[in-house]
Amino acid sequence: MRTVLHQLGRFKRDTFLCIGLCTLEVIMEILLPFITSLIIDKGLEQANLPVVYRYGILMVAMALLSLAFGAAAGKFAASASSGLAANLREAIYNNIQTFSFSNIDKFSVPGLVTRMTTDITNVQNAFMMVIRIAVRSPLMLIFSYIMCLIISPKLSLTFLIAVVFLIVVLGAIMVVTMKIFNEVFRRYDDLNASVQENISAIRVVKAFVREDHENDKFAKASSNLYRLFVKAEGLLAFNNPAMMTAVYFCIIMVSWLGAQIIVAGDMSTGELTSLFSYVMSLLMSLMMLSMVVVMISMSMASIRRISEVLNERPDLQEPAEPVYEVSDGAIDFDHVTFSYKHGSGKNALTDIDLHIKSGETIGVIGGTGAGKSSLVNLICRLYDVDTGTVKVGGRDVREYDMEVLRNQVAVVLQKNTLFTGTILENLRWGNSDATDDECVAACQAACADEFIDRFPDGYHTRIERGGANVSGGQKQRLCIARALLKKPKVLILDDSTSAVDTATDAKIRAAFAQKIPGTTKIIIAQRISSVESADRILVLDNGRVDAFDTHENLLKTNAIYQEIYESQVKGGGDFDQSA
C-alpha cells in the first residue's frame, strides 16, 4: 500500500483538499436534522412563523454549502485518483524499461498488461471511494451516533445491536470475497494471455485451422472468470438483506420505544423526527462502508500485483564508477559459466574460454539449444555471468556504463521488430541524428536499398505495426541497416539473415568486409555458407566449445562441423543453391 500511495506525488494536495471538503460536507448534513427538529418544536408546534422562516433560511444555506463542498470534493477526488493512476502507469512503465531480461522473465507479458490496465483501474476506483466515501461514511456514522446520544441515550444503545450485527455479517462476507478476488485477477492473466497469443499468431491459427480450439481455450478461461465473479458477487449480494434487516429493526425500535418516551414526556416530536434521520444516516454510512470494503478487497489483490512490479529491482546494476568508452571490438570469454536461473545447476554455457581479436569475423554454429544466443547475450550484458568474466575492449562488461556498452555492441536478432512509422524513422532508432545519406549508405550495405527503391514512397514508406507490410527478409535487412547506423565496434548477427537468399547473404557479408573492416563481426547461422568465409568459426555443443578454428581446419578435424557440412552441401545445398 505504501508503495502505491508513494506515487501520488503532486496529487497529495488534491487528496487532502478532498478529505477536508468531505468533512465540511458531513458537518453541514449532520446539522440539518437538528435544525429540522428546532423548526418542528419551536416553530410549527408553537405556531411561530418567524422561527420557521429563520431556521428555514439557515437550512437552505447549509444545504447549499453542503452541495458546494460535495461538488468540490468530487472534483478533487477525480483529480487525485486519475493522477494516481497516471503516475502508477508511468512508474510501472519506467521501471519495466530498467529490467534486465532475467527480470522480464519473471513476469508474463499478459500479466504486465493486466497490471497496467485492469489492476490500476481497480486501484483508481478504490482510491476515489476511499478519499470520498471512506472519509464521509465514518464521520457520518460517528457524528450521527453522537447526535443520537444527545437526543436519547437510551434509544441509542439499542442501535448498537444493529451496528454489531452488520459488522459481523459484512466482515464475514469480506473475508471470503477477498480470497476469491485474489484468484480473479490471476485468471485475468490467463484470459489476456489467450487473447494476446491468438491475435499475435492469427496467421498460424488460420493456417492450421485451429479457430475452434482457440475459441474453446478462450471460452474456458472466460467461463472460469465468470464462475469466480458469480461466486464473489453472490456472496456480496447478502449485503443488501443484512442492511435492510438492520434498517427495519432500527425503525421498529425507534417507533415503539420512541412513542413510549414521547408519551412519557421525555422526548419531543421534533427530536423523534431528527432521531429517525440520524438512524438512517448511521445505517447508510455502514452500508457505504461495506461498499468501500468490497472495493478495497478487490483492489488489495491489484495493489499487491502492482507493488510486485514497482518493487522489482533490475538484476543488472550500473557500476559505481562506470567506464564511458569502449576502446575496440576485442572480445574475451574467460572460463565463463552461465545459467538463466542462478544456482539452478542447469547451465546454458559451461567453461567458455574464447579470445576474439578486434575486427575479426567470427562464425558461430551449433544445434538448437547449443547456447549460441546465450553466448552473444553476455557480450552486450543482457545477462550477467555466474562465474568467469566477459570482456569487451579489454574491460569487463560489468565495468561499463550499460548504455555506452550497448551503443557499441549492436545486436540484430532473428526475430526482428519494426515499429509503426516510416522506414527512415525506424532506421534512426540506430542513430537519431543520422542524415538521409547515412541511412541510404547503411541500407546499401544491408542490401535493403534494392527493395526500398521499389516502394512508391521510398524511404518515407510507412511501416505498419510490427512490420506487417514487409517480408521477413526485408524486415531483417532493415534491422541490419538500423544496427549499422550505430557504427558499433561489435556487430552481432543472431541468425538474422535466415530469411534472405544466399546470394543476398553473400552480398551483405561482402559489404561488411568492405565498409566496416574494423568492426568485430559475430555471425550466428544455421547455414555453412553464411559462416565459411569467416576468419574463424566457433562450434558449440550443449553449451560448451567443441571447436574454434577456420573452415578448412574444421572440415578436417571436427566431426560436428563435418556432419553439418555434409548434410547441407553434399545433401543438396541451401534452398536457393543447386546441389
Side-chain angles (χ1 to χ4, degrees):
M1 182 72 78
R2 190 181 296 111
T3 302
V4 170
L5 292 179
H6 182 70
Q7 300 301 324
L8 261 176
R10 63 187 180 88
F11 295 100
K12 286 181 182 177
R13 172 181 168 275
D14 290 354
T15 302
F16 288 119
L17 282 172
C18 174
I19 292 171
L21 289 165
C22 279
T23 304
L24 293 173
E25 179 189 13
V26 168
I27 291 171
M28 293 296 106
E29 288 188 18
I30 284 294
L31 292 175
L32 287 175
F34 180 72
I35 302 298
T36 302
S37 70
L38 293 177
I39 290 175
I40 293 172
D41 293 340
K42 295 184 179 181
L44 297 178
E45 289 190 350
Q46 297 181 18
N48 190 340
L49 284 179
V51 170
V52 173
Y53 292 146
R54 187 164 62 250
Y55 284 123
I57 291 169
L58 180 60
M59 279 188 70
V60 171
M62 291 172 67
L64 289 174
L65 281 172
S66 178
L67 180 65
F69 291 145
K75 175 182 177 297
F76 286 117
S79 172
S81 60
S82 299
L84 174 63
N87 287 350
L88 280 173
R89 288 190 183 96
E90 188 174 346
I92 289 176
Y93 189 82
N94 289 341
N95 205 39
I96 290 171
Q97 300 308 306
T98 68
F99 285 177
S100 65
F101 280 20
S102 56
N103 292 113
I104 293 172
D105 292 342
K106 294 180 184 178
F107 303 98
S108 67
V109 173
L112 290 172
V113 171
T114 304
R115 284 166 168 84
M116 294 187 69
T117 51
T118 305
D119 287 328
I120 287 181
T121 300
N122 287 336
V123 172
Q124 177 181 348
N125 293 335
F127 185 72
M128 181 181 283
M129 290 189 73
V130 165
I131 61 177
R132 282 279 284 145
I133 299 173
V135 170
R136 174 187 169 84
S137 296
L139 288 175
M140 185 68 79
L141 191 150
I142 293 167
F143 289 161
S144 293
Y145 196 71
I146 289 172
M147 295 303 292
C148 288
L149 285 171
I150 292 171
I151 294 169
S152 175
K154 183 180 177 181
L155 271 177
S156 300
L157 292 175
T158 63
F159 304 153
L160 285 176
I161 300 172
V163 171
V164 171
F165 168 75
L166 275 180
I167 289 173
V168 170
V169 173
L170 297 179
I173 292 172
M174 292 309 106
V175 169
V176 178
T177 53
M178 280 183 72
K179 294 179 180 177
I180 298 174
F181 282 124
N182 283 336
E183 180 65 21
V184 162
F185 293 111
R186 284 195 290 271
R187 298 297 178 130
Y188 263 124
D189 288 353
D190 295 339
L191 193 71
N192 285 345
S194 178
V195 173
Q196 183 182 23
E197 189 175 54
N198 182 277
I199 293 173
S200 62
I202 192 66
R203 291 175 175 83
V204 178
V205 172
K206 291 188 176 297
F208 284 88
V209 197
R210 297 286 284 177
E211 291 92 341
D212 291 341
H213 171 77
E214 289 297 311
N215 287 341
D216 290 342
K217 190 167 71 172
F218 180 82
K220 184 178 179 181
S222 183
S223 62
N224 286 337
L225 198 59
Y226 161 78
R227 282 194 294 272
L228 284 170
F229 262 118
V230 168
K231 187 176 180 181
E233 297 295 341
L235 287 169
L236 292 175
F238 284 102
N239 277 6
N240 238 19
M243 178 66 192
M244 296 314 297
T245 300
V247 167
Y248 290 135
F249 171 78
C250 289
I251 290 173
I252 291 169
M253 292 298 292
V254 170
S255 300
W256 179 44
L257 295 176
Q260 296 181 26
I261 294 171
I262 288 175
V263 170
D266 294 332
M267 183 188 293
S268 67
T269 305
E271 287 175 334
L272 182 61
T273 304
S274 62
L275 195 64
F276 271 112
S277 297
Y278 286 128
V279 169
M280 291 306 296
S281 294
L282 185 149
L283 294 174
M284 289 306 296
S285 297
L286 269 177
M287 187 62 180
M288 296 303 289
L289 274 177
S290 73
M291 292 174 59
V292 171
V293 173
V294 171
M295 186 62 74
I296 290 175
S297 67
M298 290 177 64
S299 66
M300 284 306 295
S302 297
I303 288 170
R304 280 193 291 272
R305 288 158 55 83
I306 290 168
S307 297
E308 285 175 3
V309 181
L310 290 176
N311 291 328
E312 182 75 12
R313 290 293 170 261
D315 292 340
L316 305 183
Q317 299 292 333
E318 293 282 6
E321 297 180 0
V323 176
Y324 289 100
E325 185 178 353
V326 181
S327 60
D328 57 41
I331 301 169
D332 297 287
F333 283 78
D334 293 329
H335 300 286
V336 167
T337 297
F338 166 71
S339 61
Y340 286 99
K341 290 186 178 180
H342 299 315
S344 65
K346 297 179 180 178
N347 293 339
L349 298 170
T350 304
D351 196 29
I352 303 295
D353 196 61
L354 295 172
H355 303 282
I356 300 168
K357 298 174 184 176
S358 181
E360 271 193 297
T361 298
I362 303 297
V364 181
I365 203 163
T368 302
K372 302 185 296 295
S373 295
S374 300
L375 184 84
V376 296
N377 283 340
L378 300 179
I379 298 173
C380 51
R381 206 189 169 198
L382 295 178
Y383 296 92
D384 271 344
V385 300
D386 291 356
T387 60
T389 56
V390 179
K391 296 179 181 178
V392 174
R395 304 293 293 264
D396 191 326
V397 292
R398 290 169 289 195
E399 297 178 13
Y400 287 109
D401 176 85
M402 280 191 280
E403 186 175 335
V404 169
L405 175 66
R406 290 171 186 171
N407 273 330
Q408 293 300 321
V409 181
V411 183
V412 185
L413 304 172
Q414 179 183 12
K415 188 177 180 181
N416 298 286
T417 301
L418 294 176
F419 298 88
T420 304
T422 65
I423 288 176
L424 277 176
E425 288 170 348
N426 271 277
L427 291 172
R428 286 181 175 135
W429 273 66
N431 179 3
S432 57
D433 299 323
T435 64
D436 289 359
D437 290 340
E438 287 175 325
C439 290
V440 171
C443 287
Q444 288 172 345
C447 295
D449 59 320
E450 60 185 42
F451 69 84
I452 295 174
D453 291 337
R454 293 198 297 267
F455 291 144
D457 296 325
Y459 286 83
H460 296 283
T461 300
R462 187 163 182 80
I463 299 294
E464 295 178 6
R465 186 171 65 88
N469 59 331
V470 291
S471 70
Q474 290 171 340
K475 191 187 298 185
Q476 285 186 338
R477 282 179 276 176
L478 285 173
C479 290
I480 292 171
R482 182 172 65 188
L484 290 175
L485 280 172
K486 295 177 75 171
K487 299 177 181 175
K489 289 187 168 63
V490 178
L491 176 63
I492 298 169
L493 304 180
D494 188 355
D495 210 8
S496 53
T497 57
S498 58
V500 301
D501 58 83
T502 51
T504 304
D505 188 8
K507 288 180 184 177
I508 293 172
R509 285 184 278 110
F512 286 172
Q514 181 183 356
K515 297 191 176 183
I516 51 171
T519 298
T520 303
K521 297 165 282 291
I522 298 177
I523 302 171
I524 297 175
Q526 300 292 340
R527 301 188 303 213
I528 291 289
S529 61
S530 296
V531 298
E532 63 182 351
S533 60
D535 296 320
R536 287 185 290 172
I537 299 169
L538 172 66
V539 180
L540 286 174
D541 181 38
N542 198 27
R544 295 177 181 272
V545 175
D546 190 74
F548 188 35
D549 211 332
T550 63
H551 169 72
E552 291 76 14
N553 289 339
L554 289 173
L555 279 178
K556 298 174 184 176
T557 60
N558 188 258
I560 294 176
Y561 194 78
Q562 289 168 356
E563 183 181 348
I564 296 171
Y565 181 82
E566 293 286 335
S567 64
Q568 289 187 8
V569 178
K570 292 191 177 181
D574 291 328
F575 65 91
D576 53 353
Q577 287 181 327
S578 58

Short mmCIF file of all heavy atoms in Angstrom, two decimals, residues 246-283:
data_model
loop_
_atom_site.label_atom_id
_atom_site.label_comp_id
_atom_site.label_asym_id
_atom_site.label_seq_id
_atom_site.Cartn_x
_atom_site.Cartn_y
_atom_site.Cartn_z
N ALA A 246 -31.17 -4.68 9.41
CA ALA A 246 -30.76 -3.70 10.42
C ALA A 246 -31.63 -2.45 10.37
O ALA A 246 -32.02 -1.89 11.41
CB ALA A 246 -29.30 -3.33 10.21
N VAL A 247 -31.97 -2.01 9.15
CA VAL A 247 -32.78 -0.79 8.99
C VAL A 247 -34.17 -1.00 9.61
O VAL A 247 -34.65 -0.17 10.41
CB VAL A 247 -32.91 -0.41 7.50
CG1 VAL A 247 -33.99 0.65 7.30
CG2 VAL A 247 -31.58 0.10 6.97
N TYR A 248 -34.82 -2.10 9.26
CA TYR A 248 -36.18 -2.32 9.77
C TYR A 248 -36.17 -2.55 11.28
O TYR A 248 -37.10 -2.12 11.99
CB TYR A 248 -36.82 -3.51 9.06
CG TYR A 248 -37.16 -3.22 7.61
CD1 TYR A 248 -36.85 -4.14 6.61
CD2 TYR A 248 -37.78 -2.02 7.25
CE1 TYR A 248 -37.15 -3.87 5.27
CE2 TYR A 248 -38.08 -1.74 5.93
CZ TYR A 248 -37.76 -2.67 4.94
OH TYR A 248 -38.06 -2.39 3.64
N PHE A 249 -35.12 -3.22 11.77
CA PHE A 249 -35.01 -3.39 13.21
C PHE A 249 -34.95 -2.03 13.92
O PHE A 249 -35.64 -1.79 14.92
CB PHE A 249 -33.76 -4.21 13.54
CG PHE A 249 -33.43 -4.28 15.00
CD1 PHE A 249 -34.13 -5.13 15.84
CD2 PHE A 249 -32.42 -3.48 15.54
CE1 PHE A 249 -33.83 -5.19 17.20
CE2 PHE A 249 -32.13 -3.53 16.89
CZ PHE A 249 -32.83 -4.40 17.73
N CYS A 250 -34.13 -1.12 13.38
CA CYS A 250 -33.98 0.20 13.99
C CYS A 250 -35.27 1.02 13.89
O CYS A 250 -35.65 1.74 14.83
CB CYS A 250 -32.83 0.95 13.34
SG CYS A 250 -31.21 0.27 13.77
N ILE A 251 -35.96 0.91 12.74
CA ILE A 251 -37.22 1.66 12.57
C ILE A 251 -38.26 1.20 13.60
O ILE A 251 -38.95 2.00 14.24
CB ILE A 251 -37.76 1.50 11.14
CG1 ILE A 251 -36.85 2.26 10.16
CG2 ILE A 251 -39.19 2.00 11.03
CD1 ILE A 251 -37.20 2.03 8.70
N ILE A 252 -38.36 -0.15 13.75
CA ILE A 252 -39.33 -0.70 14.71
C ILE A 252 -38.98 -0.27 16.13
O ILE A 252 -39.85 0.15 16.92
CB ILE A 252 -39.37 -2.24 14.60
CG1 ILE A 252 -39.99 -2.64 13.26
CG2 ILE A 252 -40.16 -2.85 15.76
CD1 ILE A 252 -39.85 -4.10 12.93
N MET A 253 -37.68 -0.35 16.47
CA MET A 253 -37.26 0.02 17.82
C MET A 253 -37.50 1.50 18.10
O MET A 253 -37.99 1.87 19.19
CB MET A 253 -35.78 -0.31 18.01
CG MET A 253 -35.46 -1.80 18.01
SD MET A 253 -36.26 -2.70 19.33
CE MET A 253 -35.41 -2.04 20.77
N VAL A 254 -37.17 2.36 17.12
CA VAL A 254 -37.37 3.79 17.32
C VAL A 254 -38.85 4.11 17.43
O VAL A 254 -39.28 4.91 18.28
CB VAL A 254 -36.71 4.59 16.17
CG1 VAL A 254 -37.12 6.06 16.24
CG2 VAL A 254 -35.20 4.48 16.25
N SER A 255 -39.67 3.47 16.57
CA SER A 255 -41.11 3.76 16.59
C SER A 255 -41.75 3.30 17.90
O SER A 255 -42.54 4.03 18.52
CB SER A 255 -41.80 3.04 15.42
OG SER A 255 -41.26 3.47 14.20
N TRP A 256 -41.39 2.09 18.35
CA TRP A 256 -42.01 1.54 19.55
C TRP A 256 -41.53 2.25 20.82
O TRP A 256 -42.32 2.79 21.59
CB TRP A 256 -41.71 0.05 19.61
CG TRP A 256 -42.27 -0.65 20.82
CD1 TRP A 256 -43.51 -0.49 21.35
CD2 TRP A 256 -41.58 -1.58 21.64
NE1 TRP A 256 -43.68 -1.28 22.45
CE2 TRP A 256 -42.50 -1.97 22.67
CE3 TRP A 256 -40.31 -2.14 21.62
CZ2 TRP A 256 -42.15 -2.88 23.66
CZ3 TRP A 256 -39.99 -3.06 22.60
CH2 TRP A 256 -40.89 -3.42 23.62
N LEU A 257 -40.21 2.27 21.00
CA LEU A 257 -39.67 2.90 22.20
C LEU A 257 -39.84 4.42 22.17
O LEU A 257 -40.10 5.05 23.20
CB LEU A 257 -38.19 2.55 22.37
CG LEU A 257 -37.87 1.06 22.62
CD1 LEU A 257 -36.36 0.85 22.66
CD2 LEU A 257 -38.51 0.58 23.92
N GLY A 258 -39.70 5.01 20.93
CA GLY A 258 -39.85 6.46 20.83
C GLY A 258 -41.25 6.93 21.19
O GLY A 258 -41.42 7.97 21.86
N ALA A 259 -42.26 6.16 20.79
CA ALA A 259 -43.65 6.53 21.12
C ALA A 259 -43.85 6.52 22.64
O ALA A 259 -44.49 7.43 23.20
CB ALA A 259 -44.60 5.56 20.45
N GLN A 260 -43.30 5.50 23.32
CA GLN A 260 -43.44 5.44 24.78
C GLN A 260 -42.74 6.61 25.45
O GLN A 260 -43.24 7.18 26.42
CB GLN A 260 -42.86 4.12 25.28
CG GLN A 260 -43.60 2.87 24.80
CD GLN A 260 -43.00 1.59 25.34
OE1 GLN A 260 -42.38 1.61 26.41
NE2 GLN A 260 -43.17 0.49 24.62
N ILE A 261 -41.55 6.97 24.93
CA ILE A 261 -40.79 8.07 25.54
C ILE A 261 -41.52 9.40 25.34
O ILE A 261 -41.54 10.26 26.23
CB ILE A 261 -39.37 8.12 24.95
CG1 ILE A 261 -38.59 6.85 25.36
CG2 ILE A 261 -38.62 9.36 25.42
CD1 ILE A 261 -37.25 6.71 24.67
N ILE A 262 -42.12 9.59 24.13
CA ILE A 262 -42.85 10.83 23.87
C ILE A 262 -44.06 10.93 24.80
O ILE A 262 -44.35 12.00 25.37
CB ILE A 262 -43.30 10.89 22.39
CG1 ILE A 262 -42.08 11.14 21.50
CG2 ILE A 262 -44.33 12.01 22.16
CD1 ILE A 262 -42.40 11.09 20.02
N VAL A 263 -44.79 9.79 24.95
CA VAL A 263 -45.96 9.79 25.84
C VAL A 263 -45.53 10.12 27.27
O VAL A 263 -46.23 10.84 27.99
CB VAL A 263 -46.67 8.41 25.78
CG1 VAL A 263 -47.73 8.31 26.88
CG2 VAL A 263 -47.31 8.21 24.42
N ALA A 264 -44.35 9.63 27.64
CA ALA A 264 -43.85 9.91 28.99
C ALA A 264 -43.36 11.34 29.14
O ALA A 264 -43.05 11.79 30.24
CB ALA A 264 -42.74 8.94 29.34
N GLY A 265 -43.20 12.05 28.00
CA GLY A 265 -42.77 13.45 28.05
C GLY A 265 -41.27 13.65 28.07
O GLY A 265 -40.79 14.76 28.33
N ASP A 266 -40.50 12.59 27.79
CA ASP A 266 -39.05 12.70 27.83
C ASP A 266 -38.43 13.04 26.46
O ASP A 266 -37.22 13.18 26.34
CB ASP A 266 -38.44 11.37 28.31
CG ASP A 266 -38.82 11.08 29.76
OD1 ASP A 266 -39.06 12.05 30.50
OD2 ASP A 266 -38.87 9.88 30.11
N MET A 267 -39.28 13.15 25.43
CA MET A 267 -38.79 13.47 24.09
C MET A 267 -39.86 14.20 23.32
O MET A 267 -41.06 13.91 23.46
CB MET A 267 -38.39 12.18 23.34
CG MET A 267 -37.79 12.40 21.95
SD MET A 267 -37.57 10.85 21.04
CE MET A 267 -36.32 10.06 22.02
N SER A 268 -39.42 15.17 22.49
CA SER A 268 -40.38 15.91 21.68
C SER A 268 -40.54 15.23 20.31
O SER A 268 -39.74 14.39 19.92
CB SER A 268 -39.91 17.36 21.49
OG SER A 268 -38.73 17.38 20.70
N THR A 269 -41.60 15.67 19.60
CA THR A 269 -41.86 15.13 18.26
C THR A 269 -40.72 15.45 17.30
O THR A 269 -40.29 14.62 16.49
CB THR A 269 -43.17 15.69 17.70
OG1 THR A 269 -44.23 15.44 18.63
CG2 THR A 269 -43.50 15.06 16.35
N GLY A 270 -40.20 16.68 17.40
CA GLY A 270 -39.10 17.09 16.54
C GLY A 270 -37.85 16.27 16.77
O GLY A 270 -37.14 15.89 15.83
N GLU A 271 -37.59 15.95 18.04
CA GLU A 271 -36.41 15.14 18.36
C GLU A 271 -36.55 13.72 17.80
O GLU A 271 -35.58 13.14 17.31
CB GLU A 271 -36.22 15.09 19.88
CG GLU A 271 -35.71 16.41 20.46
CD GLU A 271 -35.64 16.39 21.98
OE1 GLU A 271 -36.39 15.62 22.60
OE2 GLU A 271 -34.81 17.14 22.53
N LEU A 272 -37.81 13.17 17.88
CA LEU A 272 -38.02 11.83 17.33
C LEU A 272 -37.82 11.84 15.81
O LEU A 272 -37.22 10.91 15.24
CB LEU A 272 -39.44 11.34 17.66
CG LEU A 272 -39.78 9.93 17.17
CD1 LEU A 272 -38.86 8.90 17.82
CD2 LEU A 272 -41.24 9.60 17.45
N THR A 273 -38.30 12.92 15.16
CA THR A 273 -38.12 13.03 13.70
C THR A 273 -36.64 13.09 13.33
O THR A 273 -36.18 12.39 12.41
CB THR A 273 -38.82 14.30 13.18
OG1 THR A 273 -40.20 14.27 13.56
CG2 THR A 273 -38.70 14.40 11.66
N SER A 274 -35.88 13.90 14.06
CA SER A 274 -34.45 14.00 13.77
C SER A 274 -33.73 12.68 14.10
O SER A 274 -32.76 12.31 13.43
CB SER A 274 -33.81 15.16 14.54
OG SER A 274 -33.91 14.94 15.94
N LEU A 275 -34.25 11.96 15.14
CA LEU A 275 -33.64 10.69 15.50
C LEU A 275 -33.77 9.68 14.36
O LEU A 275 -32.84 8.94 14.06
CB LEU A 275 -34.31 10.14 16.77
CG LEU A 275 -33.57 8.99 17.48
CD1 LEU A 275 -32.22 9.47 18.00
CD2 LEU A 275 -34.42 8.45 18.63
N PHE A 276 -34.95 9.68 13.72
CA PHE A 276 -35.13 8.81 12.55
C PHE A 276 -34.08 9.13 11.47
O PHE A 276 -33.50 8.24 10.86
CB PHE A 276 -36.54 8.99 11.96
CG PHE A 276 -37.56 8.07 12.55
CD1 PHE A 276 -38.60 8.55 13.35
CD2 PHE A 276 -37.50 6.70 12.32
CE1 PHE A 276 -39.54 7.68 13.89
CE2 PHE A 276 -38.43 5.83 12.86
CZ PHE A 276 -39.46 6.32 13.65
N SER A 277 -33.88 10.42 11.24
CA SER A 277 -32.91 10.84 10.21
C SER A 277 -31.50 10.38 10.57
O SER A 277 -30.75 9.87 9.72
CB SER A 277 -32.92 12.37 10.05
OG SER A 277 -34.18 12.81 9.61
N TYR A 278 -31.13 10.54 11.84
CA TYR A 278 -29.78 10.16 12.25
C TYR A 278 -29.57 8.64 12.20
O TYR A 278 -28.50 8.15 11.84
CB TYR A 278 -29.49 10.69 13.66
CG TYR A 278 -29.26 12.18 13.70
CD1 TYR A 278 -29.98 12.99 14.58
CD2 TYR A 278 -28.33 12.77 12.85
CE1 TYR A 278 -29.77 14.36 14.62
CE2 TYR A 278 -28.12 14.15 12.88
CZ TYR A 278 -28.85 14.94 13.76
OH TYR A 278 -28.64 16.29 13.78
N VAL A 279 -30.64 7.89 12.55
CA VAL A 279 -30.53 6.44 12.48
C VAL A 279 -30.32 5.99 11.04
O VAL A 279 -29.48 5.13 10.75
CB VAL A 279 -31.80 5.78 13.08
CG1 VAL A 279 -31.82 4.27 12.75
CG2 VAL A 279 -31.83 5.97 14.58
N MET A 280 -31.09 6.58 10.12
CA MET A 280 -30.94 6.22 8.72
C MET A 280 -29.55 6.61 8.20
O MET A 280 -28.93 5.87 7.44
CB MET A 280 -32.03 6.89 7.88
CG MET A 280 -33.43 6.35 8.14
SD MET A 280 -33.54 4.55 7.94
CE MET A 280 -33.15 4.38 6.21
N SER A 281 -29.07 7.80 8.62
CA SER A 281 -27.72 8.21 8.21
C SER A 281 -26.67 7.25 8.75
O SER A 281 -25.71 6.89 8.05
CB SER A 281 -27.43 9.63 8.73
OG SER A 281 -28.27 10.57 8.11
N LEU A 282 -26.87 6.81 10.00
CA LEU A 282 -25.91 5.90 10.62
C LEU A 282 -25.85 4.58 9.87
O LEU A 282 -24.77 4.07 9.54
CB LEU A 282 -26.34 5.70 12.08
CG LEU A 282 -25.42 4.88 13.01
CD1 LEU A 282 -25.56 5.38 14.44
CD2 LEU A 282 -25.80 3.40 12.98
N LEU A 283 -27.03 4.03 9.56
CA LEU A 283 -27.07 2.74 8.87
C LEU A 283 -26.59 2.85 7.42
O LEU A 283 -25.92 1.95 6.90
CB LEU A 283 -28.48 2.16 8.93
CG LEU A 283 -28.96 1.78 10.35
CD1 LEU A 283 -30.42 1.36 10.31
CD2 LEU A 283 -28.11 0.66 10.93
#
